[in-house]
Amino acid sequence: MRRTRALRYALAAALAAVTVPFLAHAAFGDDTVAAPTAQVFPTRSGVGVTWDTVNASAYKVERKLGSADWQDASGALAESATSWIDTTLTPGASAEYRVVADDTVTSTAVAATRSTQAPAVGDVDLLMMDADPGDGATWLRNETATGVTVSAPADGTRTLSAGPIKLSLPAFFPGPGKHPATEAVRLTQGDRSCMADGEFTVDEVLYTPDRAIETMAGSFKGWNCAGVEGGFSVDIRVSSTKTYQALSIDPFETKAGTVVKGQTSGPLPVTVKNTGTAPVELEKFEVKSGASWAWPVKSNACPAILPIGASCTVKVEFAPDFVAFTRAKLVISDSTARGWHTASFSGQGASLPGAHGLTVTPTFTGNAIRWAALPTSGGTTVKGYFLHEYVDGVEKTHWVDGADRTTGFYTVADVRPAVGIEYALSVVNQVGEGPTGARQKAGRATQQIAFSGGDPAGRDLVSADLVNGQAVAIPDELTAPAAAVTASPDGKSLAYVTGSGEGDLWTRRVEPGGIGAPVQMWSDGQRRLTHLSWSPDGARIAFQATNDNDKDRPCVYVVAAAGGTPEEIACDVSSPSWMPDARTLVVLDDRGDGQPVLAQVDAKAGGNRVRSYGLTASEGTPARVSPDGRTVAVGLGTGVTFLGTQTGAVVSLSLGDGIKAISWSPDGGQLLALETRGQLSKIAFSSDGGLKLEPPVVLWPTGGQPAYDVTWQRLGVRIEPSAATTGPTISVAYDHSALLPGTTFNCLLTGRSISPCPSPVTAGVTLSGPQSLEVIATEPDGRVTRAFRTFTADATGPVARVDAPTFDATTAGTAGLKYSASDGAGVASYDVRYRKASYLSGFGAYAQPWTATTATSVNLAVDPGYEYCVSVRAKDKLGNVGAWSTERCFARPLDDRAMGAPTAGWSRVSWSAFYLATATQTSTYGASLTRTVSGKRFSLVATKCPTCGLVAVYAGGKYIGAVNLASSSTQRQAVLPLPVQAAVFNGTLTFTVRSPSGKGVQIDGLVVRRT
């Protein structure tokens, strides 16, 4: 039925809209006729039938009674006709009707029943809005307006108006009954309107023959309009005699306020009044709520039937057994058109505040106490807090007002707190003070943020915790810092700059055990010191300052941490930061063309550039090296750029503003970035396998702290000064005085596994090149700190060589040995050795008459008939011992007397000019000398002269060569080599004269060598 009516109304509207176009078609000879849409309406004289006009020239209405056939009931009707009244239908009878256009098309049939008695016309004329405002979510209001006017039908609807209320409804109802709205109904109250779905209930209705409403009584019940909570109803009376029922509820909403848990509010009365013209049945009173037990009905004075104009009272109470805000509705089921009415209640169950916790974070100079701000507690607004302090059994309280903060956190700084102090918190709400929370004691202070803060004209040295960034003043400020600040590598001291010109450099012990007196390191009223950086070995402090002659020219200086005159490293460089070798700095180097470039330079006069990283930045841009030297963080643009020193990888993190200070945590896992507008962020960082960043944690928002410079200060291990280059055994000491007794230490050295390492760390190094040492300290409480050092290992010894003698044989009794070596670390000493072999046997063991000698030449006594092989090795100044050099071999000859017995014709002669003052000579052809030998290389020692002859040489009877002794001049002790043998010869050498008789042969000795 609903779809049929909806379609009917839609078709009627559509057909009405296209009437003119259809007429136009007809004018051009289009004979198509659309089917009309029929409706029925009751009249005092009979059943009315109405239809929408179509492009037809004539109409008629047919009627069907029961099972009979359709009959023409109206006869022909004019082209302009839109309705017809069936006055012949008997009262109480029913019929179906349809409209036929041009005897060709027929409307859908509609049914009607003629009432037995037509309603009377009266003077009740009103629209009554029953909106049940409930908790006030809708703008609809209960209202009764009289003097109803009814509009003519248009597009299937008509509008009822009375005062500020307007209601649209279908143009025709077929009679009494319930009629769901097939289209959204427009409801207007005052200057606001809404569209609602719903249902019309028609008690009686009558139309005039010209289709106007003669009388009507009914109502419309709607929903989903204007945020109304439980629907609404509009009672309709048009010239009616019918009474109507109406109730008013006062108040619509009652606020019980705050009631302490376990207590009961006073009575909350609701007045119910009959504002209609008929008695109203009050069927049921029921409280609906998620906590209905907390809203008991205390009393109900309302009768079952409320007379016209009468009032009654219902009283409700609020008795919470909980701490929460709750709502309830008193639902009154009644006989009005709407069917029910409601009264809303709300209340807050309350109690004393609950216990609330706090956290205590220590700094070196005090404690930061922090707790979350509460807007409410125990169901009511928080008024404030009592901060309780306990020292030696004595309690003190401090009031902290809670009116100015309902979100975020409260923080309180306690400077120089008493030893063993404990803190607790209690909350105060509108009911009273709640219980005191658990006591909290500050843990051991091991790290903090140190910064120069405050107005430029009066900055202070301030500390802050690293959890929340809560500032805690460093007391007893004898010299307030004006600008830069940095922490020592062991975390026990700070260095900072003061003075109106920012030219005074100070150090000061600032640790949990106490605060020392400031120590002035240097003062120069003409320079401005910035970018402080304390070397990782604790020995030196680097800083940027202006040049003596050019105040706009930046220079980098280094000063001993113990004080003294700073050394100028270089000018046109800025932003110094120490590498972990404690001997080089990363700076922005502007000594070339173009922009300053990030570079590594020697931390000594001249600032020799060791390496360029290629990244450019403006002069003075913050640049800080991580403690392990693997990453440089640079404040570029509106964030921080990270450069991997070993990989060249670059990662950038945007923070939203320019960066004016950067400080790494001593273990290199995090860093602080201070923005120009004051925001301080903590960034978690990892360089393992690449540069990895975590989202930053904001410790101070923009404008949170007026800070100039920050440094991360942590108690830790400090590796003491060490050599830039080590030998095969390293020995590196570390200081752990800042750590707890019982701390254990492990070390990680390049190429090795982690292992325990008491100070000094000693280890053998087998590979030369860059090395890194990481000292990992684990305190008894589990806290871990780390320190890093890089250095160069030299595990290679010097390369040595024997430079002299250069001869193969010598007749002298000593041989002068000369040797040398080369090594980058310098040669410290030499070891010289030799071995020897006689003319009859192999080499014996080495003899080493010179060990760790610094001489580069020595004399070696040599015996006749022996071959000597000499080698040398060197030790460098780092302790590396090189390999033995290649041997240098030579021999001293046998004397001629060591030859075998001469054959006939030989004679022995003596003379100082001969080798060992003797010789064996002959001029007889075929005369021979022999010698049993073991060797490979042989030389004959003999005299050469103009009249000297020829000697043939045989090895084991085999001819191996001849020696011609003829010479234009006389030569004594001439060493004449023989052909080298392929292998060591063991046997007899025979020397036979083969020159004519008269040619002299004078043999002086024999050289035998095995090499």
Side-chain angles (χ1 to χ4, degrees), residues 833-837 843-847 867-870 887 889 1011:
R833 70 179 183 176
Y834 71 89
R835 59 180 178 153
K836 67 179 182 177
F843 283 101
Y846 280 104
E867 179 183 14
Y868 290 81
C869 288
V870 179
E887 291 183 317
C889 298
T1011 62

Side-chain angles (χ1 to χ4, degrees), residues 484 529-533 542-544 574-577 620-624 660 709:
L529 279 58
T530 60
H531 298 87
L532 300 185
S533 181
F543 57 88
Q544 175 185 324
S574 60
S575 306
S577 180
T621 296
R624 289 293 187 228
K660 65 179 179 179
D709 195 11

Side-chain angles (χ1 to χ4, degrees), residues 154-180:
D155 296 329
T157 66
R158 67 177 84 223
T159 300
L160 305 180
S161 301
I165 303 175
K166 293 182 180 180
L167 180 70
S168 67
L169 72 164
F172 300 96
F173 290 107
K178 293 187 180 295
H179 304 283

Side-chain angles (χ1 to χ4, degrees), residues 10 22 50 96 128 210 218 271 278 344 359 517 587 593 629 797 844 920 960:
F22 272 125
T50 184
E96 291 183 84
M128 184 186 71
D210 60 358
T271 299
S344 296
T359 60
V587 298
D593 296 330
T920 301
I960 62 171

